[in-house]
Amino acid sequence: MADSEPDPVLVGEKRGCPEDEEEGTLTKKPRVEKDQENGGPPHHREEDETTGEASDGEEEVETFADMMKHGLTELDVGILKYVSDHEGFSGILKERYSDFVVNEISKQGKIVHLDDLSVPPEAEEVPEVEPQPEDSDVLTEEQKKQLGELQLFKNKEDNVSIEVIDDTKEKRTVVHKAIKTQYPGLETKTEEREGRKFIVAYHAAGKKALAEVKATAAPRKHFWPKNRGTFCHFVLYKENKDTMDAINVLSKFLRLRPNMFSYMGTKDKRAITVQEIAVLKITAERLSHLNKCLINLKLGNFSYKNHPLKLGELQGNHFTVIIRNISGTDEQVQQALTSLKQTGFVNYYGMQRFGTTAVPTHHVGRAILKDNWKEVVDLILKPRPGAEKEFLVRCREEWAKTQDPEAALKKLPNKRCVEGQLLRGLSMYGKKNIVTAFGMIPRNNRLMYIHSYQSAVWNTMVSRRIEAFGLKAVEGDLVLKGTAAHVLSAAEAEACSIHDIVMPLPGFDVIYPSHPVGKGYRELLSADGLDIDNMRHNVKDYSLAGAYRRIIIRPSEVTWEIVQYDDPKISLVHSDFEKLENKPAPVFNKEGKYRALRMEFSLPPSTYATMAIREVLKLDTSIKKQTQLNTTWFN
């Protein structure tokens, strides 16, 4: 239920796939919201709803398990409480990536599916007629004839002079504009001859201009009809690949920059996910052609619209989750899922938020907020316990030995990871300019560190709030009125539900509960060396405004069933693509050897499906614990 590095899955490139159209116009890169459920810096995948996969090879399982011996547990990041008192049971999440299916819920509230690979009819490509300027009558028919001949080099004088009778600047401007608009390739100037003003038209670039005129007159090869929406929206179906990796693949094939694509939220890597994407001025036909070139990515449901997509516009995500090898009785499962449906779960930030290695991301965030830049570098680059990719181990060892960024950088084959970006910054700006060097890491990845710290504080304080007051609203709690927080009086608390209560992420623009748990924020930040009254940072990007988050979330559209099967390798979900391919749905055997829980539910944005599953199973969702469970099961 947390992050892993699964076996690489080929997103193939067939060399014969044509890339014969021009690049589209670039747009501004979309900003990543701080509360997006997924996405994060390379090697610090804080936001990917994934789990440690026990692979077919025993050696790989042991290597991964060894790596996770030093990982975090839920206790380390404040995840302590449950809503229900039902008895928990064991099960394995994401034994296969197809056991976790995520369908985006659009801003209209519709679950997004890939169910149509056809290309919409093309808008009739009628060349746009340039509107004639209203001032076209300033030229006489004779002057138009002379200018036309001059444009085509049939005028032996090489220029045309037009006398301005009513000599005003406004009149001359109109004539200049009329000539340049109606006769591309011609330039104009004003000359005075014997007290009279003339506008002289001439070729600016000799016969080269004639070629340009002819090219302009020819129909454009890649014409974009005016009555077609500027953005092509499509549904992206992907398997075992995160959103940005998928977009990078599409960008490569289309020869575009990734920032030409927009989307409403990033999705899990180790899963089957379906979401809407928009791209500027690329035809549906061209996008559809990629279906022949790519593996584990499919594009469909094309339409043209006049707007891109924006992060956070989605209403949420719909999850279909398979938990294999469950130990719970039918009665336990019924009790757990009924509680989830009726009461919900504690809306903790999931383990993905805090990284997967021995150095938690929230520790880096705390060092940034304390302005301790030496510690920031040390935490990111120092050797750490647990298995890592060999090149990262060599890089860290080199840094520990020499403190030479260029030498350490040479150990990295891929310089785009966080470590590589930081080392490149240190190499360029020196170890005395760490703030500037750290800025080489993309902004969203840098902010992920401090958001991780905020999340750890929030989790800890919510656990204290539930420990102190249980699942009822009390005097001093906070609720939202519009976007502002309001402190409840005792009378108001009586009329409120626990589902109304919010808790703040620390920052300079929030208020805190007035009961003793509110004071706990100050104590916790003080113990970390931070001043709750001064959350502004001398680097503006790292100033924390804060936010509010509901402490209990109740999923919608909750359904479940227990299924039995014999083959542990079969998929237990009928995916959108399998339906399009007319592949049969999975068949279950009531007397099957294995039992699995299939559950479906919808969640709002910025909530973690793993936290809902944690409530059902009553199991620690950290990779450390899940890997132990998986390893025991596979052995």
Side-chain angles (χ1 to χ4, degrees):
M1 298 177 193
D3 204 36
S4 72
E5 291 290 339
D7 292 338
V9 175
L10 175 67
V11 180
E13 302 174 19
K14 294 183 181 177
R15 294 300 181 193
C17 189
E19 301 175 343
D20 55 0
E21 295 195 41
E22 87 284 7
E23 293 189 16
T25 309
L26 299 181
T27 57
K28 187 179 291 185
K29 186 174 182 179
R31 180 175 59 86
V32 175
E33 287 193 336
K34 69 180 179 182
D35 283 337
Q36 281 301 321
E37 179 170 327
N38 302 298
H43 303 296
H44 298 282
R45 296 275 193 188
E46 296 120 352
E47 302 295 300
D48 187 11
E49 287 278 22
T50 56
T51 188
E53 175 190 19
S55 59
D56 294 333
E58 184 179 338
E59 181 182 349
E60 291 182 14
V61 174
E62 290 175 353
T63 300
F64 186 71
D66 180 60
M67 180 174 90
M68 297 324 303
K69 285 177 184 176
H70 304 278
L72 294 171
T73 65
E74 291 183 346
L75 187 66
D76 297 321
V77 293
I79 300 174
L80 306 175
K81 296 296 180 181
Y82 295 99
V83 167
S84 168
D85 58 3
H86 74 268
E87 185 181 350
F89 53 92
S90 66
I92 299 175
L93 175 64
K94 291 190 182 178
E95 180 182 319
R96 301 169 58 87
Y97 69 77
S98 58
D99 288 349
F100 201 84
V101 181
V102 187
N103 291 79
E104 194 168 70
I105 302 174
S106 70
K107 56 184 176 182
Q108 290 79 30
K110 180 181 177 183
I111 297 176
V112 175
H113 285 281
L114 179 78
D115 53 21
D116 182 6
L117 298 182
S118 65
V119 175
E122 288 293 322
E124 189 176 345
E125 297 197 358
V126 179
E128 188 178 339
V129 178
E130 288 286 340
Q132 291 295 316
E134 296 176 3
D135 50 26
S136 59
D137 57 353
V138 300
L139 301 172
T140 66
E141 291 303 316
E142 178 61 25
Q143 288 167 344
K144 291 177 182 178
K145 179 182 176 183
Q146 291 174 350
L147 290 165
E149 290 176 348
L150 175 65
Q151 186 186 38
L152 299 176
F153 287 94
K154 294 179 180 178
N155 182 328
K156 294 181 180 179
E157 298 295 324
D158 289 336
N159 65 65
V160 171
S161 297
I162 299 173
E163 184 176 0
V164 184
I165 305 300
D166 302 323
D167 182 25
T168 64
K169 185 174 182 181
E170 291 75 14
K171 173 73 172 178
R172 293 197 304 273
T173 299
V174 169
V175 176
H176 283 293
K177 183 179 176 183
I179 294 172
K180 291 178 182 178
T181 301
Q182 296 178 53
Y183 301 94
L186 297 185
E187 289 291 334
T188 58
K189 62 182 178 180
T190 302
E191 289 185 358
E192 189 170 336
R193 303 171 188 168
E194 300 176 354
R196 296 156 63 192
K197 291 279 182 69
F198 291 85
I199 292 175
V200 180
Y202 61 96
H203 273 289
K207 295 195 175 180
K208 181 181 176 185
L210 178 62
E212 290 174 356
V213 169
K214 290 180 177 177
T216 303
R220 283 176 283 172
K221 182 181 179 182
H222 304 296
F223 182 73
W224 195 268
K226 191 174 183 181
N227 57 343
R228 180 201 284 164
T230 311
F231 293 86
C232 186
H233 287 231
F234 62 94
V235 170
L236 172 67
Y237 168 100
K238 63 181 181 64
E239 297 182 0
N240 210 20
K241 201 158 192 70
D242 68 28
T243 301
M244 277 314 303
D245 285 345
I247 284 177
N248 287 336
V249 170
L250 298 180
S251 301
K252 180 177 179 181
F253 275 97
L254 296 168
R255 294 183 298 171
L256 305 174
R257 292 185 182 177
N259 61 7
M260 289 186 64
F261 293 86
S262 57
Y263 46 89
M264 294 184 287
T266 56
K267 298 289 176 280
D268 311 272
K269 177 179 182 178
R270 187 162 171 72
I272 292 173
T273 73
V274 186
Q275 69 185 117
E276 189 176 353
I277 304 284
V279 61
L280 177 68
K281 286 192 174 180
I282 298 295
T283 64
E285 183 177 16
R286 192 174 169 198
L287 290 165
S288 175
H289 188 62
L290 295 182
N291 285 330
K292 302 173 185 176
C293 310
L294 302 174
I295 298 172
N296 288 359
L297 296 177
K298 291 295 173 185
L299 286 62
N301 296 79
F302 302 102
S303 63
Y304 293 105
K305 299 177 183 177
N306 283 318
H307 59 84
L309 295 169
K310 295 180 181 177
L311 281 157
E313 284 185 325
L314 74 167
Q315 282 200 17
N317 293 291
H318 184 78
F319 296 88
T320 304
V321 179
I322 303 293
I323 302 171
R324 296 186 185 239
N325 198 39
I326 59 168
S327 65
T329 64
D330 290 4
E331 185 180 355
Q332 282 177 295
V333 171
Q334 175 77 17
Q335 187 180 358
L337 271 297
T338 301
S339 172
L340 182 71
K341 183 175 183 176
Q342 293 178 351
T343 309
F345 62 96
V346 184
N347 190 23
Y348 288 121
Y349 287 97
M351 295 301 297
Q352 306 89 322
R353 188 83 163 178
F354 307 102
T356 59
T357 68
V359 178
T361 53
H362 63 288
H363 287 184
V364 181
R366 180 177 61 197
I368 293 169
L369 293 173
K370 290 170 66 175
D371 239 358
N372 189 340
W373 292 99
K374 187 178 182 301
E375 183 183 0
V376 171
V377 171
D378 191 42
L379 287 170
I380 294 174
L381 295 181
K382 72 179 181 181
R384 54 191 62 177
E388 275 194 306
K389 291 179 180 177
E390 183 59 32
F391 61 81
L392 270 175
V393 174
R394 290 196 303 268
C395 170
R396 297 189 195 286
E397 288 174 348
E398 181 66 36
W399 173 257
K401 183 172 65 176
T402 66
Q403 297 285 298
D404 182 344
E406 292 187 16
L409 195 59
K410 288 177 181 176
K411 303 292 183 182
L412 293 177
N414 177 10
K415 309 294 192 287
R416 292 184 180 179
C417 61
V418 166
E419 292 83 357
Q421 290 160 332
L422 177 55
L423 286 167
R424 193 155 58 93
L426 292 169
S427 177
M428 291 173 63
Y429 300 108
K431 288 183 283 186
K432 292 185 178 179
N433 294 304
I434 295 176
V435 176
T436 308
F438 186 69
M440 293 293 288
I441 299 171
R443 181 176 184 272
N444 293 321
N445 293 357
R446 285 182 277 123
L447 296 185
M448 199 69 76
Y449 289 118
I450 57 174
H451 295 156
S452 175
Y453 176 75
Q454 282 182 304
S455 303
V457 171
W458 192 90
N459 282 356
T460 301
M461 298 315 301
V462 165
S463 292
R464 291 188 190 179
R465 158 66 182 76
I466 294 173
E467 173 70 26
F469 303 114
L471 298 176
K472 63 176 183 178
V474 298
E475 181 181 4
D477 273 335
L478 301 179
V479 295
L480 289 179
K481 292 191 173 181
T483 57
H486 169 72
V487 180
L488 291 178
S489 66
E492 289 171 326
E494 288 292 328
C496 281
S497 155
I498 190 65
H499 297 98
D500 301 318
I501 305 305
V502 298
M503 291 276 279
L505 283 87
F508 61 76
D509 197 25
V510 294
I511 61 172
Y512 297 89
S514 62
H515 49 56
V517 175
K519 298 181 179 67
Y521 277 90
R522 181 178 298 275
E523 296 165 4
L524 181 57
L525 265 67
S526 179
D528 282 342
L530 295 168
D531 181 1
I532 200 169
D533 299 317
N534 185 21
M535 298 302 288
R536 295 185 187 273
H537 197 278
N538 53 15
V539 179
K540 187 177 179 182
D541 270 355
Y542 311 138
S543 290
L544 294 180
Y548 299 99
R549 181 176 174 90
R550 294 191 185 278
I551 67 174
I552 302 291
I553 289 290
R554 188 161 40 192
S556 60
E557 301 174 274
V558 179
T559 62
W560 66 90
E561 63 175 326
I562 295 173
V563 297
Q564 292 183 251
Y565 59 101
D566 287 312
D567 184 355
K569 294 183 178 179
I570 66 167
S571 172
L572 302 182
V573 176
H574 201 202
S575 71
D576 284 359
F577 186 64
E578 288 171 333
K579 293 173 186 175
L580 276 172
E581 296 278 286
N582 294 316
K583 292 183 178 179
V587 177
F588 304 116
N589 178 4
K590 290 184 179 179
E591 305 298 323
K593 181 179 178 183
Y594 304 107
R595 289 171 77 240
L597 169 62
R598 175 195 166 109
M599 52 192 293
E600 293 193 42
F601 52 91
S602 295
L603 292 176
S606 304
T607 54
Y608 287 74
T610 47
M611 293 295 99
I613 296 162
R614 169 187 180 271
E615 179 67 35
V616 170
L617 298 179
K618 297 279 185 81
L619 282 179
D620 189 318
T621 60
S622 64
I623 303 182
K624 183 174 180 177
K625 295 294 184 182
Q626 283 293 303
T627 304
Q628 291 171 359
L629 179 66
N630 286 9
T631 304
T632 302
W633 158 240
F634 277 91
N635 287 342

